[in-house]
Amino acid sequence: MPKRSEEMPRELWTSLVFLWITCVPHSSTLPLASNQSRSLQLGRPAAAAAAVLPRSEPPHGGGGQRLLSRAKRGWVWNQMFVLEEFLGPDPILVGRLHTDTEVGGKNVKYVLSGEGAGTIFSINDRTGDIHAMKKLDREEKAEYTLTALVINRDTDEPLEPPSEFIIKVQDINDNPPQFLDGPYQASVPEMSTVGTSVTKVTATDADDPVYGNSARLVYSILQGQPYFSIDPNTATIGIALPGMDREIRDEYMVVIQAKDMGGHMGGLSGTTTVTVRLTDVNDNPPKFAKNFYDFIFSESLGLGKAGGRVKATDKDIGENAKSIYTIVAGNEKGVFEITTDSQTQEGVIVLKKPLDFETQKHYNLTVEATNVRYGPTGPFKDTTTVRIAVEDADEAPIFTRPVYMMDVKENAPINTVIGSVTARDPDSASSSIRYFIDRHTDLERQFNINADDGKITLAKPLDREADMWHNITITATEIRNQSQISRSRVAIRVLDINDNAPEFATEYEAFLCENGRPGQVIQTVSAVDKDDPIQGHYFEYRLAPEMLNNPNFTIKNNGDNSISVLAKHDTFRRQKQEMYFLPIVVTDNGNPPMSSTNTLTIRVCGCSRDGIVQSCNVEAYVLPIGLSMGALIAILACIILLLVIVVLFVTLRRHKNEPLIIKDDEDVRENIIRYDDEGGGEEDTEAFDIATLQNPDGLNGYLPRKDIKPDLQFMPRQGQHGGPNGVDVDEFINVRLHEADNDPTAPPYDSIQIYGYEGRGSIAGSLSSLETASSDSDQNYDYLREWGPRFRRLGELYSVGESDKET
């Protein structure tokens, strides 16, 4: 077997060994376990290896004595090889099986089993040759494990134990490298130095990495030079050109190739693309588009309002392109400020203090734009000049003071001048000013103002005790432009005068004990005054002139604007006088002084020994029987309640006995009584009796009238009697109608009878002139048909009666 030198490549040595195995005939004995040995017999053509079974050796010694010896048995192969992707007209010979065991003329048969036996691999059962029937792919399956067996063809008995062997598929370079993760995306900062790593790519080869160079890959750049380079072994892509500027070119397409066989000729290759983007760094300063910006600001521009915008552009992007704006010169008074619009990256000039055309007409500002992020050499910035011209605008009048304070006495007469306000037109063309009071702040119209000079006068009397302060709003407008209005607040304080007399602080009611001692304090009295003098209140108390010499009470000054009322003796009795009235005069210290007379009520009461009031009434002396006033009131209330109950009882009895029919002396008509009530049951004897209609036996019965006394005695006529079970209601009604027509005592009488009251003012006249069929007077009832449907039927009935009479 050839030996490998250190200078010989591994792939070349492997190829020589394979050729030596397949082409050089030799044999070798492989040691087996215990008493068995295996040998590999080579020298078979076409990569075939013959496996020879060991044969038995003749016994040593003589004398016919059998000597025991070790039998050499076993297969003489290790493994077999077959090339993948082999394309030929005939099956390829993989190897040959052979046994060196003495078969003794037995008919030997070789049998093959295991992976692919019979489908991929076949064996000649006589010679033991193994052939590959199909094209094999090592990338699908690299080796097959099979089992060889030698049997007696005649008896199928095994001549040797089965043994496994392996058929390995030998690799050829039939798979190109592949980039499974491509195409790739990568980024690197612009201006990166040479050698800066960008990214790393990886390719794979499905060929055998152990055998040959089929899977040894070498990387190279097909497109992307001279900007990028790649390490041929690690596939790391790096920067190859310095100064790559994103603002010039921000994206590159790099094509990478991977080639097997170590990059030698004949190797297979695969490619992928890498898109490299340069990320931005802050390497460009901001730049204003113009060196001068001109704006016009109206002096009426509101505070916080924007008047103009400036912008500095930056070739960078993202945060590197953001700038902040500042005013570095020309804004010493702080009239303007500049802010940055985060959306448009513009500098917005905003008014911070009011503009005055008459004071300053022009401003020159120096505005600076600075990058938010510093560049490699420090902050990038640029400056420009902003020229602002103030435009004159018609401004509202300006009051000399925002708030005016004025005083007026509460007794000031009408039209007294309280004070004045002043406003001026700040415009260069000064306009006259007119003044007005906002009546929403002076609803009672207590003040007036002169529209020309702003003098405020009194329109109504004032009372400090009712309202001490009055706050009104004054408006000032220009005569030429009344839309320009300004306002100022005027606070008017009403000054006090002594116009209110002092009076008791409350309604006092004092209590005096009968058993009190002389000089005891009955009540402490104090006073109040609605006025508010500057020096404070001081009250003087005295008894009314008519009470100076009274023998019962006196007063004492306490020195704190209050007095104490004292009793002069101890002989007060409720039987003599229960209540005393003491008038006291209170005078203040105003100019002029004011006074009032107030009356103190003093009640004489019964007290305990400790001076505690128990009773202030006189019932104990006027009721010797011992009944208190409360008991008498209770008794009187019970008596009154009993009287009320008796009166109610009598009233209800009288109301119950009144008749149901109330006759009015002035109403001579017969009233219609309604019976459509449910009645009082069996005990109701005043209900209408309909027994006549229900009792046929009462046909000839005479029922006397109760409302009048008849002049003629009417004798009932004999009528036909109907059986109890054969009542003819129609006949009964006709009989009753005939009796009514011939009964002089039956209605109508010589009185007005109203059977359908139409109300006052009805066009229907009275029916009292109508007569029954027994009347001898001739009447024409046709006019009843004109009265309506109610009387049309009545007229027809009487007309029929007249016609019957004529016949």
Side-chain angles (χ1 to χ4, degrees):
M1 179 177 179
K3 295 185 183 251
R4 178 186 175 190
S5 62
E6 296 181 356
E7 296 80 3
M8 182 182 298
R10 180 176 178 274
E11 292 80 2
L12 179 58
W13 178 81
T14 303
S15 301
L16 293 177
V17 170
F18 176 75
L19 294 177
W20 176 78
I21 292 174
T22 56
C23 301
V24 180
H26 65 280
S27 61
S28 62
T29 301
L30 299 177
L32 299 177
S34 66
N35 60 349
Q36 294 183 355
S37 65
R38 295 190 177 184
S39 61
L40 180 61
Q41 188 176 27
L42 303 176
R44 302 291 185 261
V52 182
L53 295 177
R55 58 182 180 270
S56 301
E57 296 181 355
H60 297 275
Q65 184 179 2
R66 184 178 180 184
L67 299 177
L68 296 177
S69 63
R70 186 181 66 178
K72 295 181 180 179
R73 304 178 57 215
W75 301 101
V76 290
W77 81 88
N78 187 8
Q79 58 185 3
M80 299 181 182
F81 298 91
V82 60
L83 291 175
E84 67 169 337
E85 306 292 343
F86 177 78
L87 297 176
D90 298 323
I92 182 175
L93 178 63
V94 178
R96 177 178 296 171
L97 297 181
H98 185 72
T99 179
D100 57 355
T101 305
E102 295 181 356
V103 296
K106 296 179 181 179
N107 194 0
V108 178
K109 181 180 180 182
Y110 296 96
V111 179
L112 186 65
S113 63
E115 296 177 337
T119 57
I120 299 176
F121 302 102
S122 65
I123 189 171
N124 191 320
D125 58 356
R126 293 188 181 276
T127 63
D129 293 339
I130 301 174
H131 292 81
M133 308 298 294
K134 296 180 179 180
K135 181 177 64 173
L136 302 178
D137 189 355
R138 191 202 65 84
E139 286 71 37
E140 293 182 1
K141 191 171 180 61
E143 61 182 27
Y144 297 85
T145 302
L146 297 96
T147 301
L149 184 62
V150 180
I151 63 174
N152 190 335
R153 187 182 296 273
D154 299 329
T155 62
D156 291 336
E157 294 180 359
L159 302 179
E160 290 288 340
S163 183
E164 290 184 353
F165 66 98
I166 298 175
I167 298 178
K168 290 188 175 181
V169 182
Q170 187 178 359
D171 182 52
I172 65 172
N173 190 20
D174 58 344
N175 291 281
Q178 294 181 350
F179 292 91
L180 300 180
D181 298 330
Y184 295 86
Q185 302 287 334
S187 62
V188 65
E190 63 174 333
M191 299 297 178
S192 296
T193 59
V194 175
T196 302
S197 176
V198 178
T199 187
K200 182 179 180 180
V201 298
T202 303
T204 59
D205 196 318
D207 292 327
D208 190 357
V210 178
Y211 176 77
N213 294 327
S214 299
R216 181 187 174 188
L217 304 181
V218 175
Y219 298 90
S220 62
I221 292 181
L222 299 182
Q223 178 183 329
Q225 295 174 335
Y227 306 104
F228 303 96
S229 62
I230 189 171
D231 187 290
N233 296 319
T234 62
T236 300
I237 302 175
I239 298 293
L241 186 66
M244 298 177 66
D245 193 354
R246 186 202 63 83
E247 287 71 32
I248 299 176
R249 182 178 178 182
D250 62 349
E251 186 175 287
Y252 295 85
M253 180 69 70
V254 181
V255 179
I256 304 298
Q257 175 185 267
K259 190 174 183 181
D260 59 12
M261 297 300 293
H264 296 104
M265 186 178 296
L268 302 178
S269 64
T271 60
T272 187
T273 60
V274 180
T275 302
V276 181
R277 290 184 176 86
L278 298 182
T279 59
D280 185 59
V281 296
N282 191 15
D283 58 344
N284 292 279
K287 183 66 177 177
F288 284 101
K290 296 186 294 183
N291 293 329
F292 296 95
Y293 290 86
D294 294 305
F295 298 106
I296 297 177
F297 284 27
S298 174
E299 65 174 338
S300 62
L301 183 66
L303 299 181
K305 299 296 183 180
R309 290 173 175 258
V310 296
K311 185 175 183 180
T313 59
D314 195 323
K315 293 181 180 180
D316 296 323
I317 59 175
E319 292 293 328
N320 296 323
K322 292 183 178 180
S323 300
I324 54 175
Y325 298 87
T326 54
I327 300 176
V328 296
N331 192 33
E332 289 76 14
K333 297 180 180 180
V335 180
F336 307 95
E337 68 176 353
I338 189 167
T339 60
T340 303
D341 190 333
S342 60
Q343 300 295 328
T344 62
Q345 289 300 307
E346 293 178 320
V348 183
I349 302 175
V350 178
L351 187 63
K352 193 175 180 180
K353 292 183 179 180
L355 296 175
D356 189 1
F357 175 81
E358 290 72 24
T359 303
Q360 186 171 352
K361 299 179 177 60
H362 296 90
Y363 294 89
N364 290 324
L365 307 179
T366 301
V367 177
E368 181 180 79
T370 307
N371 276 153
V372 176
R373 288 185 175 180
Y374 285 4
T377 60
F380 291 126
K381 55 187 176 181
D382 189 22
T383 58
T384 188
T385 300
V386 177
R387 296 179 293 199
I388 298 176
V390 180
E391 182 183 34
D392 188 20
D394 192 5
E395 300 175 80
I398 300 176
F399 281 95
T400 56
R401 282 184 281 175
V403 179
Y404 292 85
M405 300 291 296
M406 300 179 184
D407 295 332
V408 60
K409 291 185 177 181
E410 61 178 330
N411 64 342
I414 305 300
N415 295 327
T416 298
V417 176
I418 302 173
S420 63
V421 296
T422 305
R424 64 178 181 84
D425 185 5
D427 297 324
S428 55
S430 180
S431 174
S432 299
I433 307 298
R434 294 184 64 84
Y435 304 92
F436 302 93
I437 295 178
D438 186 353
R439 291 303 176 182
H440 292 90
T441 60
D442 184 27
L443 297 177
E444 297 181 2
R445 296 181 175 270
Q446 294 178 302
F447 305 96
N448 291 325
I449 189 171
N450 189 307
D452 297 325
D453 57 12
K455 291 183 178 180
I456 300 174
T457 58
L458 187 64
K460 291 183 179 180
L462 301 177
D463 186 1
R464 189 203 68 84
E465 288 71 34
D467 198 349
M468 184 176 178
W469 286 93
H470 297 271
N471 295 309
I472 61 175
T473 299
I474 306 298
T475 62
T477 61
E478 298 179 6
I479 294 179
R480 65 179 183 180
N481 186 5
Q482 297 183 1
S483 62
Q484 296 293 340
I485 301 175
S486 60
R487 291 174 171 81
S488 179
R489 186 166 62 90
V490 177
I492 300 175
R493 181 176 60 179
V494 182
L495 301 178
D496 183 50
I497 62 171
N498 192 27
D499 57 346
N500 291 277
E503 57 186 13
F504 279 176
T506 184
E507 293 290 335
Y508 292 104
E509 185 177 9
F511 300 95
L512 174 63
C513 294
E514 290 180 313
N515 56 353
R517 63 183 182 278
Q520 69 175 357
V521 177
I522 301 173
Q523 181 69 46
T524 300
V525 176
S526 62
V528 292
D529 194 333
K530 295 181 180 179
D531 295 324
D532 187 18
I534 300 176
Q535 66 275 13
H537 289 291
Y538 176 76
F539 301 120
E540 178 185 354
Y541 300 87
R542 68 179 183 275
L543 294 177
E546 64 272 16
M547 298 296 294
L548 291 176
N549 298 320
N550 79 91
N552 299 318
F553 307 100
T554 184
I555 61 175
K556 183 184 71 172
N557 194 337
N558 296 328
D560 57 354
N561 275 344
S562 67
I563 61 172
S564 296
V565 179
L566 308 178
K568 289 184 175 181
H569 58 83
D570 58 353
T571 59
F572 295 96
R573 295 294 180 267
R574 284 178 288 176
Q575 302 92 323
K576 296 180 181 181
Q577 187 173 349
E578 180 184 5
M579 189 175 299
Y580 295 89
F581 299 97
L582 183 65
I584 300 175
V585 179
V586 184
T587 306
D588 61 15
N589 59 337
N591 187 19
M594 302 289 292
S595 63
S596 67
T597 301
N598 301 265
T599 301
L600 176 64
T601 302
I602 303 174
R603 297 176 64 89
V604 179
C605 302
C607 302
S608 64
R609 294 181 178 179
D610 299 331
I612 300 175
V613 177
Q614 292 181 340
S615 176
C616 296
N617 299 321
V618 296
E619 66 273 7
Y621 298 93
V622 299
L623 297 175
I625 61 176
L627 294 177
S628 64
M629 183 63 69
L632 291 176
I633 293 174
I635 294 173
L636 182 61
C638 292
I639 295 173
I640 294 174
L641 181 61
L642 290 175
L643 292 176
V644 171
I645 292 175
V646 171
V647 171
L648 290 176
F649 179 76
V650 173
T651 303
L652 292 175
R653 293 281 300 194
R654 292 185 60 186
H655 179 73
K656 183 176 182 181
N657 293 332
E658 289 181 356
L660 295 176
I661 302 176
I662 302 176
K663 295 183 179 180
D664 190 355
D665 295 338
E666 297 178 359
D667 191 0
V668 297
R669 65 189 180 195
E670 183 176 350
N671 294 307
I672 299 175
I673 301 174
R674 300 180 61 88
Y675 294 95
D676 55 350
D677 57 342
E678 293 184 359
E682 295 179 355
E683 298 179 359
D684 189 1
T685 59
E686 296 181 1
F688 180 73
D689 188 10
I690 63 173
T692 304
L693 296 177
Q694 298 177 349
N695 186 10
D697 297 336
L699 291 174
N700 297 326
Y702 176 72
L703 298 176
R705 295 177 56 87
K706 297 180 180 181
D707 54 348
I708 65 171
K709 183 176 181 181
D711 295 335
L712 300 176
Q713 185 68 28
F714 175 75
M715 297 301 295
R717 303 191 311 184
Q718 298 294 329
Q720 298 179 354
H721 294 275
N725 299 327
V727 178
D728 190 351
V729 178
D730 184 65
E731 182 180 357
F732 172 78
I733 296 297
N734 291 330
V735 171
R736 290 300 186 191
L737 180 61
H738 181 71
E739 291 177 356
D741 291 338
N742 294 281
D743 186 4
T745 62
Y749 317 111
D750 287 337
S751 63
I752 298 175
Q753 304 291 335
I754 298 176
Y755 295 93
Y757 181 62
E758 295 291 338
R760 298 184 182 276
S762 173
I763 60 175
S766 175
L767 300 179
S768 61
S769 61
L770 296 178
E771 295 180 355
T772 63
S774 63
S775 177
D776 295 333
S777 63
D778 295 336
Q779 295 288 341
N780 185 8
Y781 304 104
D782 294 338
Y783 64 90
L784 294 177
R785 300 179 181 179
E786 299 178 358
W787 289 2
R790 294 186 177 183
F791 299 95
R792 184 180 296 111
R793 179 59 179 167
L794 184 62
E796 292 176 355
L797 292 175
Y798 276 89
S799 297
V800 172
E802 290 295 330
S803 61
D804 294 341
K805 184 177 180 182
E806 292 176 359
T807 57

